[in-house]
Amino acid sequence: MSVLGALPKRVEVYEVGPRDGLQNELRTLPTADKARLIEALIAAGEKRIEVSSFVSPRWIPQLADAEKLLGLLPKRADVTFTALVPNLKGLERAASAGLEEAAVFLSVTESHSKKNINKSVAEAVAAAREVAQGARAAGMRVRCYLSTVWGCPYEGLVPVSRVVEVVKQIADIGLYQLSLGDTIGVGTPNQTAQIVGEVSKLVPLEQIALHLHDTRGTALANALVGLQLGVTTFDSSIGGLGGCPYAPGAAGNLATEDLVFMLHGMGVETGIDLKKLVEAGELAQELIGRKLSGKYLQAALGEREKQAARARAAE
Ligand code: HMG
Ligand code: MG
C-alpha cells in the first residue's frame, strides 16, 4: 500500500478531446482530420472515446458532421464510441449513425442549464429521462453528465446539497455511469472529497466518473483525491483540448497524457501507451494549429527537440 492508501489497480480513461475539445475550437476540423486524430488515440490504446455530439448544429457548428464522422471511423469490438445526445431528435440521428453509447447531459444550476440547452433543470431531467429510455430501447448504453457540480459561471460556488438533489432525480434513469463535471475548473480537493462522498451514497462508486477541467490547475489534484476514494473512471482530453462554449472561462479538460503519466507513475494501469499518446497529442496540435496546454506533452516534445539538437551538434 502506498502512503496515499490503497489505490485502484486499474483506471479507465474516457477520452473527450474530439468532442469537448473540438466543440470549443474556433477552427472547425475537416471530418477526415477528426477521424485521423481518433485513429491516433486508438493506436495509443484508448478504448472509450467521445467522438462528437448530436446537438443542434446552430449551437455547436464545429460538430455538425457527427454522422459523417461515425461513418469514417473503424468498427472495433474493443473500442466504444460515444457522443452527446440532448433530445429525441439527437437520439434519432445517433441511432441511424450506429452510435453504441449515448451521453445525456444536464447542469445542476438553472442559469447554466438555460444557457447550455435552453431548458430549466426540471425540463432537462425530463429530457434526459426520455433520451435514456429511448437509447436503451435502441440497444445503447447510457452515460449521464452533470455539469457545474463544483461551481457555475453564473451562480458561483454550488452547494453539495444542490448536487445531491439533482442526482436523486436522475439516479434511476438507467445510466451505467454518472460523470461529475467541474465545468469551469474551480474545484479544490476538499470539495472533491465531499462531492464524491455524498454522491457515492446515491450512486455506486464504480459508476462514478470525474470530468475535470483544468482552468485553475487543480484538475490533477482533484483526480488524485477521486482515485484515493476509489473512483476508477476519469474523463480527459488529448493535449488538454477543451472547454464549454456556454461556460465563459472554461478551459481545457485535464490532459490525457498528464493523467496517464501520473497513474503509471503510481503503478495504476490504464492500458495506454504514453509514447503513442504523445504522438496523438502532436497530431492534435498540428491539426488545431496551436500549442496545446498539456504539460507532459510539452515536456516530451521539448525533450525530443533537445535530443535532436544534440544529435545535430554531434554530427
Ligand atoms: P433549442 O433551440 O431550444 O431547440 O435548442 P428546439 O427544439 O427549439 O430546436 C431549434 C432548432 O434546432 C430546430 O431547427 C430543431 O430541429 C433543431 P429549425 O426547425 O429551427 O430549423 N434541433 C436539432 N438539430 C439537430 N440535432 C438535434 C437538434 N435538436 C434541435 N439534436 C438544444 C435545444 C438542446 C437542441 C440546443 O440547446 C443544443 O443543441 N445545445 C447543445 C449545447 C452543447 O452542446 N453544449 C456543450 C456540451 S455540454 C458540456 O460541454 C459540458 C460537459 O463537457 C460536462 C462538463 O464539462 O461539465 C458535457
Ligand atoms: Mg466538459
Side-chain angles (χ1 to χ4, degrees):
M1 198 191 287
S2 76
V3 289
L4 297 173
L7 299 176
K9 283 199 164 42
R10 193 178 171 93
V11 149
E12 276 214 327
V13 172
Y14 180 97
E15 174 66 47
V16 294
R19 191 281 301 173
D20 208 346
L22 297 185
Q23 79 180 12
N24 206 38
E25 292 293 336
L26 291 176
R27 179 186 286 188
T28 299
L29 293 191
T31 315
D33 284 349
K34 294 178 182 176
R36 267 180 76 200
L37 176 60
I38 293 163
E39 279 168 26
L41 297 170
I42 296 172
E46 295 218 42
K47 298 278 188 264
R48 300 181 65 207
I49 308 176
E50 197 164 272
V51 296
S52 192
S53 293
F54 289 92
V55 297
S56 162
R58 275 206 228 146
W59 286 62
I60 310 282
Q62 296 91 331
L63 304 182
D65 60 349
E67 286 90 339
K68 193 172 162 204
L69 176 60
L70 273 167
L72 290 184
L73 294 178
K75 306 272 172 288
R76 285 180 48 150
D78 61 341
V79 177
T80 305
F81 298 129
T82 34
L84 295 190
V85 181
N87 53 18
L88 290 181
K89 175 154 188 160
L91 180 62
E92 202 181 300
R93 291 176 55 206
S96 44
L99 191 73
E100 301 161 276
E101 181 176 314
V104 298
F105 57 106
L106 63 155
S107 311
V108 300
T109 54
E110 291 295 342
S111 352
H112 184 261
S113 183
K114 265 281 178 216
K115 294 265 190 212
N116 196 36
I117 52 171
N118 199 22
K119 289 182 176 64
S120 66
V121 173
E123 287 164 344
V125 167
R129 189 172 289 282
E130 188 176 56
V131 172
Q133 198 177 23
R136 278 158 58 86
M140 295 179 210
R141 284 210 301 184
V142 176
R143 174 179 229 243
C144 177
Y145 280 106
L146 282 188
S147 288
T148 60
V149 167
W150 280 253
C152 171
Y154 313 103
E155 297 177 28
L157 184 73
V158 173
V160 74
S161 55
R162 173 63 188 157
V163 179
V164 165
E165 250 173 68
V166 180
V167 172
K168 282 184 179 155
Q169 295 171 52
I170 50 97
D172 67 341
I173 66 171
L175 51 90
Y176 83 92
Q177 190 158 70
L178 177 67
S179 181
L180 303 172
D182 183 7
T183 316
I184 52 165
V186 287
T188 51
N190 53 345
Q191 204 189 354
T192 303
Q194 200 193 8
I195 290 166
V196 172
E198 289 303 315
V199 174
S200 61
K201 291 179 188 160
L202 302 165
V203 173
L205 253 184
E206 315 80 75
Q207 290 184 14
I208 296 175
L210 297 183
H211 177 102
L212 303 162
H213 285 259
D214 203 21
T215 321
R216 291 165 185 80
T218 51
L220 205 50
N222 289 323
L224 180 58
V225 168
L227 189 73
Q228 284 181 279
L229 294 172
V231 174
T232 52
T233 301
F234 294 89
D235 299 0
S236 62
S237 74
I238 187 71
L241 276 170
C244 175
Y246 298 101
N253 297 80
L254 169 60
T256 307
E257 325 77 64
D258 294 357
L259 174 68
V260 169
F261 171 72
M262 180 185 83
L263 292 171
H264 288 185
M266 294 195 302
V268 180
E269 289 167 28
T270 63
I272 293 174
D273 179 329
L274 195 48
K275 203 160 159 252
K276 288 196 178 145
L277 208 51
V278 168
E279 288 169 21
E282 198 179 7
L283 175 64
Q285 286 203 148
E286 225 176 274
L287 297 175
I288 288 296
R290 67 177 174 85
K291 233 180 180 182
L292 295 178
S293 61
K295 291 197 167 49
Y296 185 89
L297 175 65
Q298 296 311 332
L301 295 179
E303 188 52 40
R304 205 179 62 187
E305 200 44 50
K306 271 191 233 155
Q307 273 172 12
R310 279 198 291 270
R312 276 196 303 273
E315 271 171 16

